[in-house]
Amino acid sequence: MYTEEEIKKAAKDIVGAEKIVALTGAGISTESGIPDFRGTDGLWTKYDPDDFTYSKFLQDPAKYWKMSLELGELLLSLEPKPNLAHLALARLEELGKLRCVITQNVDGLHQVAGNTEVIEFHGNLRRVVCIACGERFPHDLAMEKASNGELPPRCDKCKGILKPDAVLFEEPIPRYALDRSLEEARNCDLMIVVGTSAVVYPAAELPRIAKERDGYHASFFGLYQPRRVMDYKKGAKVIEINAEPTPLTGIVSDYLIEGKAGEILPKILKEVERLLGF
Ligand code: NAD
C-alpha cells in the first residue's frame, strides 16, 4: 500500500519536471468497470488470447466477429465513463504538467476525460477499419451489421472485410503512434506509468527508452542489436502507479506507488495544485 510520503514525492517530481509523459494500460480503466487482461478478473480468464491474433482473424473473420459481438457488448455497451485517474491526467495536461498520454487502451476514455494529446498505441475499439481500402467507420455500424447477420461485416464503399481498429496480436503498431511515442519517450524527463503489467511489447519498452533516453531504441523496431550495459543514470525519472509490482519495478522505475490509480492520481494532483499555488 502507498504512503503519503510517496504521494508528496511524486507531486514534487512532477512540479520539478518539464517534459512529462504518461504511459497508461488497462489498469487505469478497471475503476471505470472495464476489466483488464491479466488481473484476477481479467478478460484472459474468460477468453483465449490466441483467438485474437491477426492470422486467426484472416482465417475466419466471421468467427472473430461472433466473439467480438459478445466482447464488444461487454466493453462498449457498458458506456464506461472516465474515472478519477483519467480526470487527474486531464487536469495535469491543463496545468501544463503533461505533454501527452501514450495509452495501450482501446477505450477512448482519456479523450472523454479531456486529454487532447493522446497517442493510441493499440488503436481504438470504437472504430473499425476496412482491411481492403483502409476506410474507417464507427464500431457501432459494424456491430449493427454483425448483429443483423452480416458476418463478417463489410465496408460500405468497397465491400472489403471490416476489422476493429484496435491492434490485434501479430499486427504492427500504427506507424504514427510508434514514431511519436518513441520521440516522446526519448525526450521526456519524467514518465508516469499507470496500470500496465508492462509485459506487452513494444509498449513495455517505452519506460526503458525514457530511462536511458539515448540508444537502445533499435530493439523497439524488432531489429537485432547486441545488448549492452544500459546507462539509466542519464535518462528520465520513471514513476510507476500500479496495483502490484511489474517487471519494471525496482529496475526501470525509480519507485512504485502501489494501489489504485483512481485513489493515487487525484491525491498526487491535489498536492501538485497545492505546490503550484492553486
Ligand atoms: P494488463 O491487463 O496486462 O495489466 C493491467 C495492470 O494494471 C495489472 O498489473 C494490474 O494489477 C493493474 N491494475 C488493475 N487495476 C488497477 C487499478 N485500479 N489501479 C492501478 N493498477 C491497476 O494490461 P496492459 O498492461 O494494458 O496490457 C494489455 C493490453 O490490454 C493492452 O494492449 C490493451 O490494449 C489491452 N486492454 C485494454 C483495455 C482497455 O482499453 N480498457 C482493457 C483490457 C485490455
Side-chain angles (χ1 to χ4, degrees):
M1 234 348 227
Y2 62 90
T3 64
E4 288 307 313
E5 273 60 50
E6 287 167 336
I7 301 287
K8 285 191 178 142
K9 191 174 172 196
K12 206 169 152 214
D13 284 337
I14 289 171
V15 170
E18 283 173 5
K19 294 181 204 157
I20 307 172
V21 167
L23 171 67
T24 64
I28 198 169
S29 293
T30 53
E31 289 165 76
S32 292
I34 304 176
D36 59 10
F37 275 167
R38 294 175 185 76
T40 38
D41 296 321
L43 290 170
W44 294 154
T45 59
K46 300 177 189 77
Y47 294 91
D48 183 353
D50 284 347
D51 283 334
F52 291 87
T53 63
Y54 192 53
S55 44
K56 282 265 174 78
F57 176 81
L58 291 179
Q59 260 167 35
D60 192 350
K63 183 183 167 200
Y64 174 88
W65 274 103
K66 271 183 219 145
M67 283 188 312
S68 198
L69 273 178
E70 201 183 325
L71 193 61
E73 246 168 64
L74 181 71
L75 292 185
L76 296 174
S77 66
L78 292 169
E79 303 251 339
K81 293 190 180 62
N83 62 53
L84 293 174
H86 297 103
L87 294 172
L89 290 184
R91 176 71 177 144
L92 282 180
E93 183 190 299
E94 201 176 68
L95 291 170
K97 280 289 158 197
L98 189 62
R99 281 174 59 86
C100 66
V101 178
I102 304 168
T103 188
Q104 298 168 81
N105 294 345
V106 290
D107 55 30
L109 288 183
H110 287 299
Q111 291 92 325
V112 181
N115 279 103
T116 60
E117 289 294 324
V118 181
I119 306 169
E120 292 177 323
F121 206 75
H122 290 156
N124 192 320
L125 204 58
R126 289 169 193 270
R127 296 184 303 256
V128 291
V129 60
C130 170
I131 62 170
C133 72
E135 188 74 24
R136 287 180 163 78
F137 301 95
H139 192 268
D140 287 353
L141 183 94
M143 288 306 244
E144 201 184 306
K145 285 170 181 268
S147 47
N148 288 336
E150 189 181 325
L151 287 171
R154 288 184 177 268
C155 174
D156 281 339
K157 293 210 164 155
C158 75
K159 299 290 167 216
I161 292 170
L162 295 176
K163 183 192 91 60
D165 201 13
V167 175
L168 296 176
F169 292 114
E170 301 171 347
E171 267 196 292
I173 305 301
R175 190 76 220 187
Y176 164 78
L178 191 63
D179 288 349
R180 171 97 200 272
S181 305
L182 178 58
E183 191 190 320
E184 293 291 349
R186 292 186 77 193
N187 288 326
C188 70
D189 57 3
L190 175 62
M191 183 177 272
I192 309 169
V193 182
V194 190
T196 175
S197 57
V199 296
V200 177
Y201 283 82
E205 198 87 335
L206 292 167
R208 292 188 174 84
I209 290 166
K211 195 72 199 155
E212 208 195 21
R213 199 171 280 176
D214 295 317
Y216 197 61
H217 61 280
S219 61
F220 194 71
F221 296 101
L223 303 174
Y224 174 73
Q225 188 193 40
R227 211 165 168 97
R228 58 195 169 77
V229 177
M230 290 161 73
D231 183 0
Y232 279 163
K233 283 192 209 96
K234 61 185 173 181
K237 196 166 262 184
V238 176
I239 306 174
E240 251 192 301
I241 298 170
N242 210 67
E244 60 189 346
T246 75
L248 301 175
T249 310
I251 301 167
V252 175
S253 58
D254 289 81
Y255 51 98
L256 163 71
I257 308 183
E258 196 171 337
K260 288 186 171 179
E263 280 175 24
I264 293 168
L265 273 168
K267 283 183 182 235
I268 294 175
L269 172 66
K270 202 169 160 203
E271 181 63 9
V272 167
E273 286 181 324
R274 193 188 70 75
L275 291 171
L276 293 176
F278 283 94

